[in-house]
């Protein structure tokens, strides 16, 4: 029976021990490099010979692999010294296998085909360029004995069950080895290899990688497809390790063998050209690339390279890059169990994170630190803005639009009265009052650098104001009907104004008012937005069309007709999605590229009013909207679930909401009750805000108590 | 209450508010021209847009007793006509739910 199993007292023989617990991993005893091959060796003697540092001092035993990674293991050395010699006896089968391995690190440990050097491993200078080929294990031997197969020895005794909490042991172990290598713990990874008996990659894969990176094309091809290309077999079987020498790799089901061959030969050809060996290159072109009959266009391009290759490009690094890229391309066609995708463990952790964040309803991270892995991520409801901290009643008309500046310092409000107010957000005092309009003001738009503000009014004019002084610097007057919307280009030099005119309703002009372009269209513009990357202009018209224009070419990209009247449009910060409020009480989130409706949010009431919504939250994970029933609705953007319904406005519609870009726990809303409400989280007030609240006229204090 | 943009009609000849040119109805949708209001000629329409309605009241018209309410332009709040809520005589039932716009208070908008 297994002495090994008895030496551990825990019922689960294999415990996941990473990081600080690595020291508890018992060392596999049978690691001495000077072991004879026979199996009946005394266990104790083997154990004695084993020490953590033998790895770095191995004598050449098997074959003539040059010892390369001196530097690398010495870096990992300190870690190894803490490891106690606890390990007793490996099982018989493992003994056999371990003895036949070459325990030295052969290649500087790196990752899957790229030349990234992991922290903690240094690659030896001489073969720096193209020997970084291993993925997850240090030592390998090409012509190792036949008992070594892909991943684990079949005769290994089963003292550990192959089921690790529901996951396949082999997969988990190999992932861990790869992860350790990525983290730089090469010693630990090596030990894990030895103890578990798994390798991240089989010998064939290592040989394949080596062949590609060294430029041994015929080896590479034979590894991929089978020793003899003219064999009738398709060559996608995995070998069971009996054939002497490397056998072919297992490919994915639908791997395009022709394409892979083409890629390999293409690289060979290009390299020959780079080294100016034109004769050989032509030979390759004729004998190898031509008969493949794959993609004649590329073939022609390659032949064209022959004549156009003027630069004497002997750049070694470019060749190395090409080979690595080839490796990455080809590895996509190799079965993932043979070649694990790069950084797979990190990928999986990312997915877990994303899943947790997607489920976290109140996710509104004010800091940018990612959630810890130790606890499932759940955001606290108390961090969410739920409470009105300030109510501003300076507006003498219904409030139709509020908007924070991009730096979060100012808040502009406008509405039925023709006065526009600019508040400072620190104290919420009125900084400027802008009087020049003659009719109600429907929209304001801050410039990207917050130095200017455009206001659009129903007196058919749009005005550009200097935000610091409150002076009007420009009047845009080219339309008969109300100007409904305006937008800045990201460079702050041009603006687009839209109106409900039948003609000339969408104009691009520079800031000093010179009109540069007017889109010809019959659709009256109700709202427009420019994507933050400056690429597209999205226009929403009252005839229920959404039209997307390319801003640089001014051409129309596409136009979709929606089912109901729309009331507002917003573009997300990543320029990929837009949010549209519809009169049938839905809010649609539409992908700009594909024009597909990604999400729908319901719950708010619109009737016929212009109700505006906004993206909210620290990384735009929320959708906020007003509603005609005096409530504010907040949804989780990814889930579509309604998180909160906030009451506070007394009557009429909540026309507009705006989230503070600088403070993710503050947003403002404006409604028909002529009030602007600032919402923040439950326990937040700064001293200035508190003073402000108390200085509001006392007859409103009872309402505050009701709210809070 | 709230902000509402005006509805715009697509037609060759549109009648609109004389004051602010807000679209009210399309000329082709006139049902009857055989009406007179306080200010002269008036037309009967099936549907008008961009109007606000006043309270309903009983009035004696030349054709009999009706329940009517005044209608105003949404933007400038000027009276433009009235709407029939209820007609007490059987002959007049066809007017129920329809609108009268007085020619004097209208302008043609193209």
């Amino acid at each position: 029976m297994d002495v090994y199993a008895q030496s551990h007292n825990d019922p689960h023989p294999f415990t996941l021990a990473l990081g600080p617990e690595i020291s508890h991993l018992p060392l596999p005893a049978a690691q001495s490099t000077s072991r004879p091959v026979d199996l009946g060796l005394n266990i104790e003697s083997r154990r004695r010979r084993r020490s953590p540092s033998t790895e770095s001092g191995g004598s050449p035993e098997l074959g003539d692999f040059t010892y390369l990674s001196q530097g690398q293991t010495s870096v990992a050395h300190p870690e190894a010294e803490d490891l106690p010699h606890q390990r007793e006896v490996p099982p018989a089968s493992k003994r056999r296998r371990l003895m036949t391995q070459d325990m030295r690190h052969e290649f500087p440990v790196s990752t899957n085909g790229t030349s990234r050097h992991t922290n903690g491993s240094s690659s030896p200078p001489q073969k720096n360029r193209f020997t970084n080929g291993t993925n997850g294990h240090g030592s390998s031997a090409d012509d190792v004995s036949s008992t070594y197969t892909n991943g684990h020895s079949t005769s290994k005794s089963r003292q550990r069950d192959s089921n690790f909490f529901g996951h396949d042991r082999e997969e988990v172990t190999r992932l861990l080895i790869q992860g350790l290598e990525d983290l730089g713990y090469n010693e630990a990874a090596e030990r894990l290899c030895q103890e578990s008996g798994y390798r991240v990659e089989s010998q064939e894969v290592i040989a394949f990688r080596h062949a590609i990176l060294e430029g041994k094309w015929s080896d590479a091809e034979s590894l991929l497809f089978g020793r003899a290309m003219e064999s009738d077999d398709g060559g996608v079987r995995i070998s069971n390790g009996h054939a002497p020498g490397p056998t072919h790799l297992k490919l994915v089901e639908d791997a395009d063998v022709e394409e892979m061959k083409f890629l390999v030969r293409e690289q060979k050809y290009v390299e020959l050209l780079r080294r100016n060996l034109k004769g050989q290159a032509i030979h390759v072109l004729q004998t190898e690339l031509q008969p493949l009959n794959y993609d004649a266009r590329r073939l022609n391009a390659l032949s064209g390279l022959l004549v156009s290759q003027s630069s004497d490009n002997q750049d070694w690094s470019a060749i190395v890059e090409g080979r690595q890229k080839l490796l990455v391309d080809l590895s996509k066609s190799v079965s993932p169990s043979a070649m694990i995708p790069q950084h797979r463990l990190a990928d999986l952790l990312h997915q877990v994170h994303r899943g947790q964040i997607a489920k976290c309803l109140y996710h509104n991270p004010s800091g940018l630190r990612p959630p810890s892995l130790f606890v499932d991520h759940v955001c606290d409801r108390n961090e969410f803005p739920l409470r009105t901290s300030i109510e501003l009643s300076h507006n003498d008309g219904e409030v139709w639009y509020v908007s924070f500046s991009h730096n979060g310092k100012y808040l502009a409000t406008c509405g039925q009265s023709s006065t526009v107010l600019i508040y400072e957000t620190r104290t919420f005092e009125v900084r400027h009052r802008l009087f020049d309009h003659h009719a109600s003001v429907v929209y304001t738009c801050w410039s990207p650098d917050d130095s200017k503000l455009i206001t659009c009014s129903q007196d058919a004019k749009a005005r550009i104001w200097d935000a610091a002084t409150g002076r009007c610097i420009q009047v845009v007057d080219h339309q008969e009907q109300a100007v409904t919307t305006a937008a800045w280009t990201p460079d702050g030099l041009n603006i687009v104004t839209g109106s409900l005119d039948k003609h000339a309703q969408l104009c691009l002009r520079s800031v000093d008012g010179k009109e540069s372009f007017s889109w010809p269209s019959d659709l009256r513009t109700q709202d427009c937005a420019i994507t933050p990357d400056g690429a597209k202009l999205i226009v929403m018209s009252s005839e229920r069309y959404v039209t997307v224009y390319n801003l640089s070419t001014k051409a129309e990209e596409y136009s979709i007709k929606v089912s109901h009247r729309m009331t507002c449009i917003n573009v997300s910060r990543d320029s990929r999605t837009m949010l549209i409020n519809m009169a049938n009480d839905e809010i649609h989130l539409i992908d700009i590229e594909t024009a597909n409706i990604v999400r729908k949010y319901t719950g708010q009431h619109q009737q016929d009013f212009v109700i505006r919504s906004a993206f909210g939250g620290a990384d735009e994970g929320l959708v906020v909207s007003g509603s005609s029933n005096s409530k504010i609705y907040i949804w989780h953007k990814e889930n579509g679930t309604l998180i909160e319904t906030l009451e506070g406005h007394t009557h009429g519609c909540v026309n507009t909401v705006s989230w503070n870009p600088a403070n993710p726990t503050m947003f403002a809303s404006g409604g028909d009750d002529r009030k602007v409400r600032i919402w923040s989280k439950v326990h937040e007030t700064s001293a200035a805000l508190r003073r402000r609240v108390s200085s509001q006229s006392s007859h409103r204090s009872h309402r505050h108590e009701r709210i809070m | 209450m709230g902000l509402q943009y005006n509805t715009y009609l697509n037609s060759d000849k549109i009648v609109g508010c004389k004051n602010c040119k807000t679209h009210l109805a399309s000329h082709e949708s006139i049902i009857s021209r055989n009406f007179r209001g306080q200010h002269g000629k008036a037309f009967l329409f099936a549907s008008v847009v961009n109007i606000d309605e006043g309270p309903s009241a009983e009035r004696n018209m030349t054709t009999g007793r009706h329940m009517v309410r005044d209608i105003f332009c949404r933007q400038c709040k000027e009276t433009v006509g009235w709407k029939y809520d209820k007609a007490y005589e059987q002959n007049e039932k066809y007017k129920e739910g329809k609108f009268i716009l007085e020619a004097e208070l209208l302008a043609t908008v193209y």
Side-chain angles (χ1 to χ4, degrees):
Chain A
M1 226 333 243
D2 309 321
V3 182
Y4 173 61
Q6 289 165 8
S7 66
H8 293 260
N9 289 330
D10 53 338
H12 243 301
F14 179 76
T15 51
L16 229 199
L18 287 182
E21 289 183 275
I22 274 184
S23 56
H24 300 314
L25 273 181
L27 298 175
Q31 298 257 329
S32 164
T33 54
S34 55
R35 254 175 292 120
V37 185
D38 71 350
L39 303 182
L41 204 66
N42 193 348
I43 294 167
E44 277 72 28
S45 63
R46 237 178 287 130
R47 189 176 8 129
R48 250 180 281 120
R49 250 172 272 140
R50 167 71 181 153
S51 75
S53 51
T54 48
E55 294 201 9
S56 48
S59 51
E61 179 194 31
L62 294 174
D64 46 351
F65 297 100
T66 53
Y67 180 70
L68 294 176
S69 59
Q70 200 111 27
Q72 179 242 318
T73 49
S74 61
V75 172
H77 198 62
E79 213 183 291
E81 286 188 317
D82 307 330
L83 299 172
H85 299 255
Q86 293 169 359
R87 178 53 192 268
E88 270 82 6
V89 183
S93 55
K94 223 181 162 187
R95 252 180 277 144
R96 198 186 326 129
R97 190 176 24 82
L98 293 173
M99 282 187 299
T100 57
Q101 283 171 357
D102 177 15
M103 289 302 130
R104 292 158 303 153
H105 298 269
E106 171 158 339
F107 302 118
V109 184
S110 178
T111 56
N112 212 341
T114 66
S115 62
R116 179 178 77 82
H117 299 295
T118 60
N119 38 335
S121 79
S122 57
S123 54
Q126 65 276 27
K127 284 216 177 172
N128 199 359
R129 298 294 185 75
F130 52 93
T131 54
N132 18 325
T134 65
N135 177 19
H137 65 92
S139 65
S140 70
D142 263 356
D143 46 357
V144 88
S145 99
S146 57
T147 55
Y148 187 79
T149 56
N150 180 19
H152 60 96
S153 146
T154 51
S155 53
K156 186 161 75 92
S157 66
R158 305 257 176 266
Q159 79 283 10
R160 302 189 184 110
D161 60 24
S162 59
N163 182 19
F164 169 67
F165 294 109
H167 297 284
D168 180 35
R169 172 184 293 276
E170 174 186 347
E171 287 194 356
V172 174
T173 321
R174 286 171 74 194
L175 272 182
L176 288 173
I177 298 173
Q178 188 195 41
L180 285 174
E181 289 287 345
D182 281 346
L183 285 167
Y185 301 132
N186 302 311
E187 282 265 334
E190 184 54 40
R191 285 222 173 71
L192 184 54
C193 284
Q194 289 153 11
E195 170 160 9
S196 62
Y198 295 119
R199 289 263 157 212
V200 177
E201 285 184 344
S202 68
Q203 301 303 347
E204 292 94 19
V205 176
I206 300 165
F208 168 63
R209 188 193 297 278
H210 185 50
I212 292 280
L213 290 176
E214 296 242 311
K216 299 195 176 118
W217 308 112
S218 49
D219 281 349
E221 285 203 16
S222 63
L223 277 169
L224 272 181
F225 311 116
R227 179 156 284 276
M229 234 81 63
E230 47 276 350
S231 72
D232 45 2
D233 200 349
V236 291
R237 287 176 296 109
I238 192 171
S239 74
N240 42 7
H242 291 311
T247 52
H248 27 263
L249 302 173
K250 184 172 182 188
L251 302 175
V252 291
E253 295 280 314
D254 51 354
D256 189 351
V257 175
E258 294 296 315
E259 180 177 9
M260 296 168 74
K261 284 188 196 166
F262 187 84
L263 285 175
V264 172
R265 292 170 187 177
E266 181 184 14
Q267 178 68 12
K268 181 172 173 186
Y269 171 74
V270 167
E271 287 193 14
L272 287 172
L273 275 186
R274 279 190 187 276
R275 287 192 280 167
N276 259 350
L277 298 167
K278 296 223 168 143
Q280 292 187 27
I282 296 180
H283 179 73
V284 166
L285 187 61
Q286 286 172 338
T287 58
E288 297 191 16
L289 282 171
Q290 183 71 12
L292 278 185
N293 256 346
Y294 172 84
D295 200 346
R297 197 172 42 84
R298 276 168 78 177
L299 196 54
N300 290 336
L302 288 177
S303 337
L305 274 183
L306 253 185
V307 282
S308 69
Q309 189 77 356
S310 51
S311 58
D312 191 355
N313 206 347
Q314 291 238 7
D315 196 358
W316 192 236
S317 63
I319 291 190
V320 169
E321 255 180 55
R323 287 184 186 164
Q324 286 163 355
K325 183 173 174 310
L326 175 63
L327 188 59
V328 170
D329 285 341
L330 288 175
S331 62
K332 289 186 194 128
S333 304
V334 180
S335 151
S337 64
M339 282 177 91
I340 303 180
Q342 290 188 50
H343 317 302
R344 183 72 189 151
L345 191 62
D347 261 347
L348 289 174
L349 290 176
H350 273 311
Q351 286 181 21
V352 166
H353 254 167
R354 277 200 295 267
Q356 283 180 359
I357 287 176
K359 284 197 300 239
C360 169
L361 276 188
Y362 290 102
H363 185 76
N364 191 12
S366 43
L368 285 177
R369 63 177 199 291
S372 158
L373 282 168
F374 295 136
V375 207
D376 275 359
H377 171 74
V378 167
C379 273
D380 191 8
R381 191 168 179 265
N382 288 332
E383 294 288 317
F384 210 71
L386 297 173
R387 180 188 69 96
T388 307
S389 56
I390 311 272
E391 195 185 55
L392 302 166
S393 35
H394 297 94
N395 288 76
D396 42 1
E398 296 175 356
V399 180
W400 283 346
Y401 198 70
V402 298
S403 152
F404 277 100
S405 62
H406 292 104
N407 55 10
K409 286 202 193 134
Y410 301 110
L411 175 69
T413 67
C414 65
Q416 214 178 20
S417 81
S418 47
T419 313
V420 178
L421 298 171
I422 301 183
Y423 294 89
E424 250 188 311
T425 49
R426 218 172 28 88
T427 57
F428 285 105
E429 288 171 0
V430 179
R431 192 179 151 95
H432 292 295
R433 286 171 205 259
L434 311 175
F435 288 114
D436 292 356
H437 280 291
H438 301 298
S440 30
V441 182
V442 241
Y443 194 80
T444 65
C445 187
W446 289 93
S447 64
D449 58 357
D450 295 332
S451 62
K452 304 188 194 50
L453 181 72
I454 304 183
T455 58
C456 311
S457 156
Q458 282 187 331
D459 62 358
K461 292 197 200 356
R463 286 173 181 268
I464 307 180
W465 308 81
D466 181 294
T469 63
R471 213 171 38 88
C472 176
I473 49 183
Q474 186 66 239
V475 178
V476 173
D477 177 23
H478 63 109
Q479 287 124 341
E480 287 179 2
Q481 300 274 347
V483 182
T484 52
T485 176
W488 290 86
T489 55
D491 56 1
L493 295 176
N494 293 311
I495 59 174
V496 171
T497 55
S499 87
L500 292 172
D501 236 20
K502 197 162 165 63
H503 315 280
Q505 62 274 77
L506 193 64
C507 292
L508 173 72
R509 55 187 64 236
S510 61
V511 174
D512 44 11
K514 285 196 285 293
E515 176 173 333
S516 54
F517 188 76
S518 172
W519 272 273
S521 167
D522 279 337
L523 305 177
R524 303 170 193 263
T525 310
Q526 262 192 340
D527 206 350
C528 76
I530 294 186
T531 57
D533 60 0
K536 301 201 207 297
L537 169 68
I538 305 175
V539 174
M540 189 186 88
S541 76
S542 51
E543 281 85 9
R544 309 194 290 175
Y545 279 97
V546 173
T547 315
V548 175
Y549 294 94
N550 184 313
L551 198 57
S552 35
T553 68
K554 321 262 188 334
E556 175 182 322
E557 286 196 7
Y558 64 86
S559 173
I560 50 181
K561 187 165 171 103
V562 292
S563 48
H564 292 86
R565 279 183 48 188
M566 302 169 281
T567 62
C568 95
I569 189 167
N570 273 300
V571 178
S572 67
R573 234 180 275 155
D574 59 0
S575 306
R576 280 184 35 219
T577 50
M578 53 185 172
L579 198 65
I580 298 184
N581 276 44
M582 316 269 288
N584 63 340
D585 294 349
E586 284 178 0
I587 301 181
H588 289 185
L589 184 71
I590 298 186
D591 182 301
I592 295 180
E593 287 297 316
T594 64
N596 288 332
I597 299 179
V598 179
R599 291 279 186 284
K600 285 190 191 176
Y601 308 100
T602 56
Q604 93 288 9
H605 301 276
Q606 299 234 166
Q607 297 176 312
D608 267 341
F609 299 107
V610 175
I611 303 284
R612 297 195 192 263
S613 59
F615 286 103
D619 43 3
E620 299 205 325
L622 305 167
V623 172
V624 198
S625 170
S627 162
S628 61
N629 59 357
S630 318
K631 295 191 192 155
I632 300 175
Y633 291 80
I634 306 183
W635 293 267
H636 189 268
K637 184 176 93 162
E638 289 296 317
N639 283 353
T641 51
L642 180 64
I643 307 178
E644 288 291 335
T645 308
L646 301 174
E647 299 188 13
H649 284 275
T650 43
H651 64 271
C653 315
V654 177
N655 290 311
T656 170
V657 284
S658 172
W659 206 280
N660 188 337
N663 180 353
T665 56
M666 179 196 284
F667 71 94
S669 67
D672 283 348
D673 55 354
R674 305 173 180 206
K675 303 277 191 299
V676 174
R677 282 175 168 251
I678 310 292
W679 301 80
S680 53
K681 61 183 179 186
V682 179
H683 298 296
E684 174 204 350
T685 28
S686 69
L689 291 183
R690 245 180 274 126
R691 264 204 312 272
R692 186 103 192 108
V693 168
S694 60
S695 74
Q696 303 255 333
S697 46
S698 56
H699 74 270
R700 272 196 291 274
S701 59
H702 72 277
R703 203 187 298 151
H704 280 299
E705 269 130 47
R706 184 164 52 92
I707 297 157
M708 301 184 212
Chain B
M1 129 125 164
L3 171 65
Q4 272 176 306
Y5 288 132
N6 293 332
T7 318
Y8 290 89
L9 302 168
N10 280 324
S11 166
D12 288 337
K13 212 165 151 206
I14 299 174
V15 301
C17 170
K18 186 155 88 167
N19 219 5
C20 61
K21 309 281 187 297
T22 313
H23 292 199
L24 291 173
S26 127
H27 204 263
E28 287 102 29
S29 59
I30 293 180
I31 302 176
S32 161
R33 299 161 202 265
N34 204 4
F35 282 82
R36 300 201 67 79
Q38 297 163 297
H39 309 278
K41 256 179 32 154
F43 308 115
L44 183 72
F45 289 91
S47 67
V48 298
V49 292
N50 298 328
I51 50 152
D52 284 331
E53 295 174 2
S56 185
E58 199 182 283
R59 284 192 209 156
N60 271 325
M61 319 288 263
T62 46
T63 43
R65 237 173 19 130
H66 298 84
M67 297 287 283
V68 295
R69 56 175 79 224
D70 286 331
I71 51 179
F72 311 93
C73 165
R74 174 153 75 188
Q75 194 151 308
C76 60
K77 310 286 188 269
E78 290 279 327
T79 313
V80 289
W82 66 86
K83 175 188 178 190
Y84 287 102
D85 274 348
K86 191 163 150 48
Y88 289 105
E89 284 158 47
Q90 203 55 34
N91 298 3
E92 318 294 329
K93 284 286 181 193
Y94 73 96
K95 297 183 206 166
E96 283 183 3
K98 297 198 176 54
F99 303 85
I100 295 282
L101 295 178
E102 299 202 40
E104 180 69 25
L105 309 170
L106 300 175
T108 318
V109 176
Y110 293 101

